[in-house]
Amino acid sequence: MVSYPGVDQPPFRLSMLIYDRRYRSLTIQAVVFILVMLAASWLIDNTLRNLAIMGKTFSFDFLFRRAGYDIPQQLIPYNSDDTHLRATIVGLLNTLQVSVLGCIAATVLGVIVGVLRLSSNWLIARLMTVYVEVFRNIPLLLWILVCLAIFTEVMPPPNAYRGENPAASMVLFDLIAPTNRYTAIPSLGMSNPPGTITLGRESLSWALVAYVVVIAAAFLARHLLRRWAQRVQDQTGKRPTTWWINLAFFVVPLLLLTWHFGLHLIPPVLRGFNFAEGINLDNAFVVLWLALTLYTGAFIAEIVRAGIMAVSRGQTEAAFALGLRPRRTMSLVILPQALRVIIPPLISQYLNLTKNSSLAIAVGYMDLRGTLGGTTLNQTGREMECMVLMMGIYLALSLLISGGMNVFNSRVKLKER
């Protein structure tokens, strides 16, 4: 081997931290990190000193004191004698409820509108354009107030559904009754209930556990079936037809469970001054969910349209040349490729919807902002602790959403060979 003078690694000198590019980036990062930590420590120390001057201490012991206020919307048992910690959990669950349902509904609406915006039908395409431009260019708070005004001023009172010739009629096969106070929807009933699991004050139905286990098993069977079909395709060059088996994995067990438990819908019935036997959804929740869905759906529609337009037109022409119809071309060729463009900005819309749910205070929906950042803050006077805790919870939710969507994004992105 030929040796060259000066090739050996020179000895390390302190000046290399600045003048050697191998070490300079590390030096800059270390300096920035130290400065940020010093600024954070100064801010925390200054805050604690000011609280001490005001006669306050930084403590979260208020979470274990009696809350003393009621929450109309609750997914777990709660009363005014519970602690502020339980009230915070109830508010967090309310936030998760409206956020998850809003993300699902906005995604469905956005995909439909985004596809229809590219329709060859001029009228449909223009109507979808009007929807997108109107909803995304007006602040969300105004849409929440508009939906609230519609529900409180336009919807009939519950007694309008009474009598042989009522002034108002139920919708969707007489299953839903919108009123100016709440929206009555059917509840689920079982003719053969399997019992419940008692976990403190909460209870969990064995039927729900059975459905979760069956769905998880169906997804596992679907994964194994896809691996088997891939092996067959690699060996023979022909992929076996498995869609009907995948469908059977989900449909047959769920139908058997439904038949065994006697699962059925219990429609709301007007008794006295209110509807009974169903579920009365508070209009604060319905208004917030509807406004979030319509507002975010407009942005998702533009994301879907951009993703579809990013796919080369040659893909569509090739699918038509193979005899695929437009609907099949969209579902099998265009949308799967467009997902790689759609998912990254879609993550931002899910994050925005979750954070925008804090506007629930405008309609009186007791979410995390209304409980921890509202009533609890005002009663305890622990504004700093409440704000820090609420910011931490929203940060954790955002990181969970972005992390989960990033995992899904890594599964659908192009694999380089």
Side-chain angles (χ1 to χ4, degrees), residues 137-274:
N137 288 300
I138 295 179
L140 174 59
L141 180 58
L142 295 182
W143 284 120
I144 293 176
L145 297 178
V146 168
C147 292
L148 178 63
I150 292 175
F151 270 81
T152 55
E153 302 296 335
V154 178
M155 295 300 174
N159 58 14
Y161 293 90
R162 181 183 292 112
E164 296 181 358
N165 296 313
S169 58
M170 302 174 67
V171 297
L172 289 180
F173 308 103
D174 292 336
L175 293 177
I176 299 178
T179 72
N180 58 359
R181 288 193 285 136
Y182 53 80
T183 300
I185 64 173
S187 61
L188 291 176
M190 288 182 288
S191 304
N192 185 28
T196 59
I197 307 173
T198 302
L199 302 172
R201 294 173 56 184
E202 288 76 30
S203 60
L204 183 64
S205 174
W206 280 109
L208 178 60
V209 176
Y211 276 102
V212 171
V213 170
V214 164
I215 293 175
F219 274 108
L220 177 61
R222 175 176 173 270
H223 175 70
L224 296 176
L225 181 65
R226 290 182 64 182
R227 293 181 58 182
W228 171 80
Q230 187 63 44
R231 287 198 302 268
V232 172
Q233 182 179 5
D234 294 339
Q235 295 172 1
T236 64
K238 183 178 180 181
R239 191 176 184 89
T241 303
T242 59
W243 67 266
W244 62 273
I245 304 178
N246 281 324
L247 186 63
F249 282 154
F250 289 91
V251 174
V252 174
L254 292 178
L255 288 178
L256 289 176
L257 282 180
T258 302
W259 171 79
H260 175 71
F261 295 134
L263 195 68
H264 60 279
L265 291 176
I266 302 177
V269 178
L270 185 63
R271 291 182 178 174
F273 296 100
N274 289 294

Side-chain angles (χ1 to χ4, degrees), residues 66-108:
R66 180 178 178 272
Y69 62 92
D70 295 322
I71 302 177
Q73 310 88 10
Q74 47 188 262
L75 294 178
I76 60 175
Y78 170 84
N79 57 60
S80 59
D81 291 327
D82 287 320
T83 62
H84 287 288
L85 177 60
R86 191 171 184 86
T88 300
I89 295 175
V90 172
L92 175 60
L93 292 177
N94 288 341
T95 295
L96 292 175
Q97 180 186 25
V98 73
S99 299
V100 171
L101 295 179
C103 288
I104 295 173
T107 302
V108 174

